[in-house]
Amino acid sequence: MISTLQYIDSQTVTYALAAVGLPLVAAIINLLLPARSGRVGGWISAVTIFLSAVCAAIVFGSIWNHNALHTQQLWFTIGNTAVNAGVLLNNLSAFMLLLVTVIALPVHIYSTAYIKSEEQNRYFTYLSFFCFSMLALVVVDSMILLYAFWELVGFSSYLLIGFWFTRDSAVQANKKAFIMNRIGDIGLLSAIIILFAQYHTFDLVALFGTNGLVFKSTIQNGMWIALTGQMPQVWQYVAFAGIFLAVAAKSAQFPLHTWLPDAMEGPTSVSALIHAATMVAAGVFLLGRVYPMFSADELNMLAIIGCFTAFLAATIALTQNDLKRILAYSTISQLGYMIMAMGINAYASSLFHLATHAFFKCLLFLCAGVIIHEIHHIKEEHQLTIDAQNINNMGGLRKKMPLTFIATLIGCLALVGLPFTSGYLSKDGILIQAFEWAEGKSVWFKIIPIGIFITSGITAFYVARLIFKVFFGEFKLKALLPNVHLHVSDGSWGFRIPLVFLSLCSLFPLFSFNPFSYEHAWLFEGFSLSNNVLGESIYHHVIPVSISVLSILVAGWAFSVYVKQRRLVLSESSFLFKMSYNQWYIDAFYKRVIVKAVLLLSNALYWFDRAIVDGFIQVLQQVTLFLSGLAAWVDRYLVDGFLYLVTQLVKGIGNFFRGFQSGRVQYYLFSMLAAVLAVFIIKLLI
Amino acid sequence: MVSAGLFSIGIYVVLSKQNAIQVLIGIEMMLNAAILNMVAFGKFDKINNAGQTFALFAIVLAAASTAVALAIVLNVYRRHQTIDPGKINQLKD
């Protein structure tokens, strides 16, 4: 299937490969740099990611809304199966390529200022390696390569979460993330195996392309029939479950979402790039790649899970005190939106939201990073024992960090989905389509759009709470240190440039010239699977307005609660508050039930190992010991004893004869006399 | 009888004395006993005075050997600073 490419096409592929390969080069250079090279490594990575972004932009320009480009080469052959490796550039991958590099660029610049210079080599090795695996994941065309880079992305995320590996909590967090992701990986692997068993190919184009094998397969009479064979229908569900597990683990969906908040132990810049903008979007990306294989039931399932996760995470975010954890739960919530959008056939909106979310969530994390950085400086300067990430310690930062404040505000407005921001376009698109989707279905389906609508309101509340607690009111540390002048600022240029850049990207003009209509966003148009004109239903006007009004009302309520110090509606001891504060007890449940069960099982196995296997070996050992003891005894006392006896005998005889050879003349004479006398006596006797 | 007694005394002296000179005297005693025997048994010989003649030869030889032995004793004394035959055991090697 090696196709001869046009010159221009092969050039595009070269650019794509360059975009993917450059970060790897940077990672290798950083790995080889001497440990004390300071900030050189950071700038190498930043420059390569910039070049990578330029290449990605060229690729994007030539692929977007043109024909998809697919080129591959034979990789290896097993039996009759030829496995190809290649590059698939279509709208989705070209867009992801650009998105990842463009998000990574400000994060790289930010990191050069954020990470201590002696740690930069290691940090940028990991970070560039992550960029490489993520970009490769996006462009590859085969399920096997996809799986490989899927794993590599998880691995580099593991490395970066545990970047400060001397902290116990970071080590715990990266282990948790890794194990959770393994569960998903098993799902993906089993899905790939099932798909291969059914279709005999790993090729994404052959599988999911238009007129691909998946399109031509049907489910009839409980059998899953494809051109290449058939198998019971249940396997199709297993494959879906596998894909879903993979997506849930990578994109932090219920029930595998608990690793993401813990992953905030990593450096904040990492959280911004990996755990908010790119890697967690890999799950949504995977859904986009394998989208054609889902049946209607399975899509409903996705919608329900996505909606539930969005709601769950939003309620948890309401009461968290850790700045980064709030953002992490908000990420989970927004990912829930994307998954749900996939489930309700709003494929384009989902990817659109992915893009906008990447920008504003990255922005929010970088702002959080600046704030935490400053608080951390104060903490170290005055040797305080406070938690630098606790929003209860902040407050009133509005005047001290004006740029950060504005950037955070823009990010938050986009997160809530207020007009003139990118979030408004994408989020309202999802909401409108959710309502349209539920139209004409049974009452139960209404739960999803209504749930997601309520979630939007909750989002507005926790976002407002965050803003008010961090930027308004009095600076809480002032109360702790009344006499010291606390120096807090926006930080260096390395912090400011990325913030400004991402703030601009979070506003509407990047995506659409019409700030009120998501359908005119070029991204949305590029992803629309079918060109059917969406009916101008009433929702298009009602939803955005009601969302905005609701958000503003809720934000006002939060203002009255947190700035005016009015009483909370829920007391802190109420059940709902506790439920939210303890993250719905999901972690506790996992710890109680699953971890305990696993521990119990391992203890049982340990006991089995100890008592039965080891016992058997011990018995064997005892028997062997006894036998060898016996052999040793025989050897020592019988064999050695006999030899000893012989030697003693020889020695005795020798000594006896030696006694005569005293060297004294008189003895010789005496013995001679004795001998002569003896001869005479014998002679007399005989 | 005299010669047998003399021989016995000589052998006792040779075996028991701690002084090489005394041992030498013991040897001379035994030698004299043998010469005495020779003279005594010469009476029964068919050839006249053969025993006495032989005894004279033996006396001369004994004197010579005594001289040699004394020289050896002198050398031994020079080397070992002692003439106790019980303490000289170099012969065993």
Side-chain angles (χ1 to χ4, degrees):
Chain A
M1 235 185 107
I2 301 163
S3 52
T4 47
L5 292 166
Q6 303 273 315
Y7 172 68
I8 185 96
D9 287 350
S10 66
Q11 223 176 11
T12 310
V13 170
T14 314
Y15 278 125
L17 289 177
V20 172
L22 277 168
L24 181 64
V25 174
I28 292 170
I29 291 175
N30 263 311
L31 192 66
L32 298 178
L33 275 179
R36 300 205 171 276
S37 55
R39 296 183 183 272
V40 181
W43 286 111
I44 290 173
S45 283
V47 168
T48 49
I49 205 74
F50 175 71
L51 294 176
S52 199
V54 170
C55 292
I58 295 169
V59 172
F60 185 76
S62 56
I63 294 292
W64 185 254
N65 286 344
H66 290 79
N67 286 332
L69 199 55
H70 180 213
T71 172
Q72 59 184 184
Q73 274 190 327
L74 188 66
W75 186 13
F76 58 83
T77 313
I78 300 175
N80 296 324
T81 311
V83 179
N84 293 309
V87 173
L88 170 60
L89 294 169
N90 57 8
N91 270 2
L92 179 58
S93 53
F95 150 71
M96 285 295 286
L97 200 64
L98 185 66
L99 178 73
V100 171
T101 49
V102 167
I103 295 280
L105 179 61
V107 171
H108 273 74
I109 295 170
Y110 182 91
S111 302
T112 54
Y114 189 75
I115 300 291
K116 277 187 258 165
S117 63
E118 59 268 29
E119 288 176 332
Q120 280 207 351
N121 269 338
R122 195 159 58 86
Y123 175 81
F124 279 102
T125 309
Y126 296 166
L127 197 66
S128 292
F129 185 67
F130 166 77
C131 290
F132 159 69
S133 3
M134 185 71 202
L135 293 171
L137 168 73
V138 164
V139 297
V140 291
D141 74 331
S142 133
M143 289 293 252
I144 290 193
L145 283 172
L146 184 83
Y147 180 73
F149 288 111
W150 183 267
E151 291 271 354
L152 280 184
V153 163
F155 171 67
S156 38
S157 151
Y158 163 81
L159 286 177
L160 284 164
I161 294 171
F163 180 70
W164 287 314
F165 55 82
T166 46
R167 279 195 211 161
D168 189 47
S169 54
V171 175
Q172 295 287 348
N174 73 354
K175 255 190 281 181
K176 187 170 176 181
F178 200 66
I179 291 169
M180 287 268 186
N181 271 305
R182 295 305 306 174
I183 299 173
D185 295 340
I186 290 167
L188 182 59
L189 186 61
S190 44
I192 290 173
I193 291 169
I194 291 169
L195 285 174
F196 181 72
Q198 174 75 321
Y199 298 116
H200 305 295
T201 179
F202 293 112
D203 195 337
L204 282 170
V205 175
L207 282 171
F208 304 111
T210 37
N211 300 322
L213 289 164
V214 170
F215 276 106
K216 289 178 183 158
S217 61
T218 50
I219 292 176
Q220 279 173 352
N221 304 328
M223 293 299 276
W224 185 25
I225 302 163
L227 292 177
T228 43
Q230 59 179 22
M231 54 171 74
Q233 188 187 355
V234 65
W235 289 109
Q236 209 267 340
Y237 291 128
V238 175
F240 162 72
I243 296 273
F244 171 72
L245 261 187
V247 170
K250 199 62 95 193
S251 287
Q253 292 302 293
F254 179 81
L256 296 176
H257 65 275
T258 56
W259 67 269
L260 188 61
D262 287 2
M264 297 301 137
E265 285 298 332
T268 310
S269 44
V270 168
S271 307
L273 179 63
I274 300 182
H275 304 116
T278 53
M279 189 191 87
V280 289
V284 181
F285 169 78
L286 179 71
L287 279 184
R289 274 282 203 228
V290 303
Y291 194 67
M293 74 171 274
F294 300 130
S295 66
D297 291 342
E298 290 162 354
L299 287 176
N300 287 344
M301 181 81 195
L302 279 182
I304 292 164
I305 292 283
C307 178
F308 178 65
T309 309
F311 178 72
L312 170 96
T315 53
I316 293 171
L318 280 177
T319 52
Q320 298 302 307
N321 284 328
D322 187 317
L323 182 55
K324 284 180 76 181
R325 280 184 97 87
I326 296 176
L327 292 177
Y329 276 109
S330 131
T331 305
I332 296 175
S333 178
Q334 299 303 311
L335 288 165
Y337 271 89
M338 295 174 212
I339 302 285
M340 189 213 68
M342 283 285 176
I344 58 170
N345 279 323
Y347 175 85
S349 284
S350 175
L351 292 172
F352 185 26
H353 194 52
L354 192 162
T356 56
H357 172 258
F359 283 109
F360 64 69
K361 192 49 68 64
C362 187
L363 171 66
L364 281 175
F365 265 108
L366 294 187
C367 291
V370 174
I371 296 164
I372 292 165
H373 198 67
E374 295 297 320
I375 302 276
H376 197 75
H377 268 301
I378 295 175
K379 178 184 163 184
E380 288 204 329
E381 227 170 277
H382 304 289
Q383 271 126 30
L384 300 176
T385 51
I386 52 162
D387 178 6
Q389 303 188 0
N390 194 329
I391 55 170
N392 288 328
N393 292 330
M394 302 166 190
L397 295 174
R398 174 172 89 253
K399 286 167 193 142
K400 310 217 172 193
M401 312 167 84
L403 182 78
T404 313
F405 170 62
I406 292 167
T408 314
L409 199 63
I410 292 173
C412 286
L413 291 181
L415 178 59
V416 176
L418 287 177
F420 302 109
T421 59
S422 59
Y424 171 83
L425 295 169
S426 57
K427 202 168 173 181
D428 287 5
I430 291 178
L431 276 162
I432 291 166
Q433 285 175 50
F435 275 100
E436 281 178 348
W437 172 77
E439 188 101 318
K441 290 199 169 115
S442 70
V443 171
W444 293 107
F445 286 102
K446 295 267 192 229
I447 290 175
I448 286 178
I450 290 169
I452 217 81
F453 189 77
I454 293 170
T455 306
S456 293
I458 298 173
T459 308
F461 189 88
Y462 70 70
V463 162
R465 171 173 178 265
L466 187 145
I467 291 266
F468 293 140
K469 277 212 166 189
V470 173
F471 291 105
F472 287 78
E474 287 297 309
F475 192 21
K476 305 293 190 298
L477 287 180
K478 267 261 158 74
L480 234 74
L481 303 160
N483 307 322
V484 188
H485 175 70
L486 295 178
H487 178 72
V488 180
S489 73
D490 276 330
S492 65
W493 285 110
F495 293 128
R496 289 180 194 203
I497 293 170
L499 293 191
V500 172
F501 173 72
L502 287 169
S503 301
L504 292 177
C505 290
S506 300
L507 294 174
F508 71 92
L510 184 67
F511 298 100
S512 165
F513 291 114
N514 181 350
F516 296 110
S517 168
Y518 71 92
E519 282 129 337
H520 294 106
W522 52 269
L523 256 174
F524 184 83
E525 287 170 347
F527 280 125
S528 290
L529 289 176
S530 50
N531 286 328
N532 58 337
V533 181
L534 292 156
E536 277 287 321
S537 65
I538 184 150
Y539 293 122
H540 286 248
H541 306 292
V542 173
I543 300 290
V545 173
S546 55
I547 280 284
S548 301
V549 169
L550 177 75
S551 304
I552 291 166
L553 283 180
V554 167
W557 180 31
F559 183 78
S560 75
V561 169
Y562 291 109
V563 180
K564 297 270 170 73
Q565 306 290 328
R566 297 254 171 79
R567 203 175 60 81
L568 265 169
V569 182
L570 284 169
S571 75
E572 298 209 351
S573 56
S574 74
F575 172 70
L576 283 175
F577 183 89
K578 274 190 183 161
M579 179 123 170
S580 163
Y581 187 74
N582 291 310
Q583 299 142 35
W584 283 44
Y585 297 102
I586 288 171
D587 254 347
F589 171 77
Y590 284 166
K591 214 165 249 167
R592 286 266 170 75
V593 179
I594 295 177
V595 175
K596 213 169 193 180
V598 170
L599 276 181
L600 212 68
L601 184 67
S602 9
N603 272 334
L605 287 176
Y606 176 68
W607 177 86
F608 180 79
D609 209 39
R610 205 79 228 254
I612 311 288
V613 179
D614 278 15
F616 176 69
I617 288 178
Q618 224 152 31
V619 167
L620 213 66
Q621 172 208 9
Q622 290 296 336
V623 168
T624 314
L625 265 182
F626 175 73
L627 282 179
S628 43
L630 203 69
W633 187 86
V634 167
D635 211 37
R636 175 157 303 159
Y637 289 102
L638 296 189
V639 179
D640 279 13
F642 175 70
L643 285 178
Y644 189 66
L645 192 71
V646 170
T647 54
Q648 283 298 319
L649 207 63
V650 171
K651 194 175 164 190
I653 292 169
N655 274 342
F656 178 69
F657 283 107
R658 206 159 62 102
F660 295 117
Q661 311 296 324
S662 63
R664 289 177 210 164
V665 182
Q666 282 172 313
Y667 283 12
Y668 292 164
L669 285 174
F670 181 74
S671 43
M672 195 170 79
L673 178 67
V676 169
L677 280 177
V679 167
F680 271 102
I681 290 165
I682 290 166
K683 206 166 180 197
L684 278 177
L685 288 176
I686 296 172
Chain B
M1 274 303 288
V2 175
S3 89
L6 201 61
F7 187 82
S8 299
I9 292 166
I11 210 159
Y12 170 73
V13 166
V14 165
L15 291 182
S16 60
K17 288 303 166 191
Q18 306 268 318
N19 194 325
I21 307 294
Q22 287 169 319
V23 172
L24 220 59
I25 292 168
I27 291 171
E28 284 306 308
M29 278 178 172
M30 288 194 294
L31 215 59
N32 285 344
I35 293 165
L36 204 61
N37 251 3
M38 232 177 265
V39 174
F41 285 114
K43 192 185 171 202
F44 305 104
D45 202 358
K46 287 181 181 98
I47 303 157
N48 281 339
N49 297 329
Q52 282 92 329
T53 316
F54 204 76
L56 281 172
F57 277 107
I59 288 166
V60 172
L61 280 175
S65 71
T66 305
V68 171
L70 274 171
I72 289 172
V73 167
L74 207 63
N75 274 328
V76 165
Y77 180 74
R78 275 199 196 131
R79 179 175 286 200
H80 299 288
Q81 305 297 319
T82 181
I83 47 171
D84 185 351
K87 287 181 183 161
I88 296 159
N89 52 5
Q90 269 201 331
L91 267 183
K92 83 175 173 188
D93 293 328

